[in-house]
């Protein structure tokens, strides 16, 4: 990442600031977005120095400040993508062909595809090759407006390759300026060398891999895929205990393919987030609300698998949950790096309004990742991350599905390639 521009003002834009209370937005606040017409944002030393009307910002300008005229364009904070698998090698385009002709995700996995397919590619890739391939994924994310993201491991499934994935994520963030959270997902699937020995593999994950990941500072959270054929509730209990011992946040993939009580499990175990939730019913929603768990919803994976059961975001919002939207960007079920696409799906199929979707893509995920003092809104003191759109209003972001509507992306006060 090059040195940020030290003094730049964006002037004459329609600012959707996402300013507000210093907490995740729930209830009516979920749809409240402060808008400043003919506004301006002042960046200095990679941080937001001031936000206000054009006149207010112009009054603060000094001779060394550069100015950029926005001509009424919409400005939002950079997106915060709270669930991605963006570090991977190869792709699964051949599996996409199989999906298009009627194969299911389970059938593809049973033939050696799915997670194990990407595992083989990651294991065979050198660290430099993995950086080269994954840098393209991060560029796509940033060109879609994402300036902060969570990236998981989970395609190495052995100590060396899980470490490699997490190191690559850190190096990519340093190079691009992406604000990063890393999650250790060693319990993503059972690798072939542990075939039929799930408990032995989980012992290895919890007793050797996770402590080493934490000791080396490679991840802040740990995750598990809790689903039939992968890991179960008792396995999740063991992971939760290990996270408490090592001071890591707990995240869980739950209720993606069936309602297996995963939401209630996440609530009982004190998970930071419960992710997917496509099949979560009313009792699970109530449990998440009572335990103050962030629901991280991933509509692009439903779309990518050609399924029709989307998370019931409307019921979750009405129950007072702090909705979070993310891409689940991965080479199998959700090969999309675009937060605007996820917003569009959430509005069309999950009952969210455009403003609720924007909150769920910016300030709420910032809180879910513990980064709300850094990112998620256009507030003085936060990172100078912003997206300028060739649009007039928030409602147009999910409306123009797939349109190249970004004008520019600003990362730490510097215009990034789009």
């Amino acid at each position: 990442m090059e040195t940020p521009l030290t003094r730049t003002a964006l002037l004459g834009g329609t600012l959707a600031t996402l300013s507000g209370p210093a907490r995740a937005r729930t209830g009516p606040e979920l749809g409240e977005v402060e808008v400043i017409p003919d506004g301006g944002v002042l960046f200095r030393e990679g941080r937001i120095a001031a936000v206000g009307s054009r006149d207010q910002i112009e009054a603060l300008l000094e001779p060394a400040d550069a100015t950029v005229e926005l001509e009424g364009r919409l400005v939002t904070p950079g997106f915060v993508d709270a669930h991605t698998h963006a570090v991977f090698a190869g792709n699964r385009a051949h599996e996409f062909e199989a999906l298009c002709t009627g194969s299911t995700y389970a059938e593809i996995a049973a033939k050696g595809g799915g997670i194990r397919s990407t595992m083989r590619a990651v294991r065979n890739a050198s660290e430099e090759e993995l950086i080269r391939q994954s840098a393209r994924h991060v560029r796509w994310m940033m060109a879609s407006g994402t300036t902060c993201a969570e990236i998981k491991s989970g395609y190495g499934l052995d100590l060396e390759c899980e470490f490699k994935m997490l190191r690559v994520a850190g190096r990519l963030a340093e190079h691009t300026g992406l604000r990063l959270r890393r999650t250790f997902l060693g319990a993503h699937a059972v690798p072939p060398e542990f075939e039929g020995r799930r408990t032995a593999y989980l012992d290895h994950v919890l007793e050797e891999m996770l402590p080493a990941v934490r000791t080396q500072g490679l991840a802040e959270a740990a995750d598990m895929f809790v689903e039939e054929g992968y890991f179960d509730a008792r396995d999740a209990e063991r992971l939760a205990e290990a996270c408490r011992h090592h001071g890591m946040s707990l995240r869980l993939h739950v209720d993606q393919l069936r309602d297996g009580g995963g939401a209630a499990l996440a609530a009982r175990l004190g998970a930071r987030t419960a992710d997917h939730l496509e099949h979560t019913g009313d009792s699970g929603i109530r449990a998440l609300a009572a335990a103050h768990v962030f629901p991280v919803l991933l509509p692009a994976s439903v779309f990518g698998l050609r399924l029709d059961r989307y998370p019931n975001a409307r019921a979750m919002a009405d129950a007072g949950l702090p909705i979070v939207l993310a891409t689940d960007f991965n080479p199998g079920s959700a090969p999309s790096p675009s937060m605007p696409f996820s917003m569009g799906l959430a509005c069309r199929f999950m009952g969210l309004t455009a403003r609720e979707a924007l909150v769920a893509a910016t300030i709420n995920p910032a809180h879910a990742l513990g980064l709300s003092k850094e990112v998620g809104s256009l507030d003085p003191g936060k990172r100078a991350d912003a997206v300028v759109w060739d649009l007039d209003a928030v409602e147009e972001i999910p409306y123009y599905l797939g349109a190249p509507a970004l004008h520019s992306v600003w990362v730490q006060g510097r215009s990034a390639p789009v």
Side-chain angles (χ1 to χ4, degrees), residues 338 340 389 391 396-397 399-406:
S338 171
W389 303 85
L391 301 172
E396 296 176 41
I397 299 173
Y399 169 68
Y400 286 114
L401 194 64
L406 273 78

Side-chain angles (χ1 to χ4, degrees), residues 4 14 20 27 36 42 62-63 81 89 113 161 172 174 180 184 204 208 220 255 258 374 386 389 396:
T14 300
I36 302 175
L42 180 60
E62 299 175 0
D81 191 345
C161 292
L172 288 172
E174 291 174 3
L180 179 69
F184 169 59
H204 177 54
E208 299 180 50
E220 297 80 24
D255 294 348
R258 64 188 180 96
E374 285 281 305
W389 303 85
E396 296 176 41

Side-chain angles (χ1 to χ4, degrees), residues 4-13 15 17 36 38-68 70 75 377-386 388 410 412-414:
L5 292 177
T6 55
R7 309 170 72 92
T8 304
L10 309 182
L11 298 174
L15 310 184
T17 67
I36 302 175
D38 196 22
V41 186
L42 180 60
F43 298 151
R44 285 183 175 158
E45 304 298 336
R47 294 277 167 178
I48 299 174
V51 179
S53 69
R54 182 188 184 109
D55 290 346
Q56 289 171 324
I57 300 304
E58 286 183 330
L60 299 174
L61 294 179
E62 299 175 0
D65 293 327
T67 59
V68 177
L70 300 182
V75 184
S377 63
L378 301 177
D379 279 311
K382 292 192 176 184
R383 279 186 23 137
D385 295 348
V388 180
W410 294 79
Q412 291 182 276
R414 184 177 185 275

Side-chain angles (χ1 to χ4, degrees), residues 83 85 152 185 223-226 251-254 275-276:
H83 183 128
H85 305 256
K152 303 178 189 295
L185 183 55
D223 200 344
M224 175 179 281
F225 186 30
V226 182
R251 304 189 61 172
L252 294 174
H253 287 59
V254 291
D275 301 41
H276 278 290

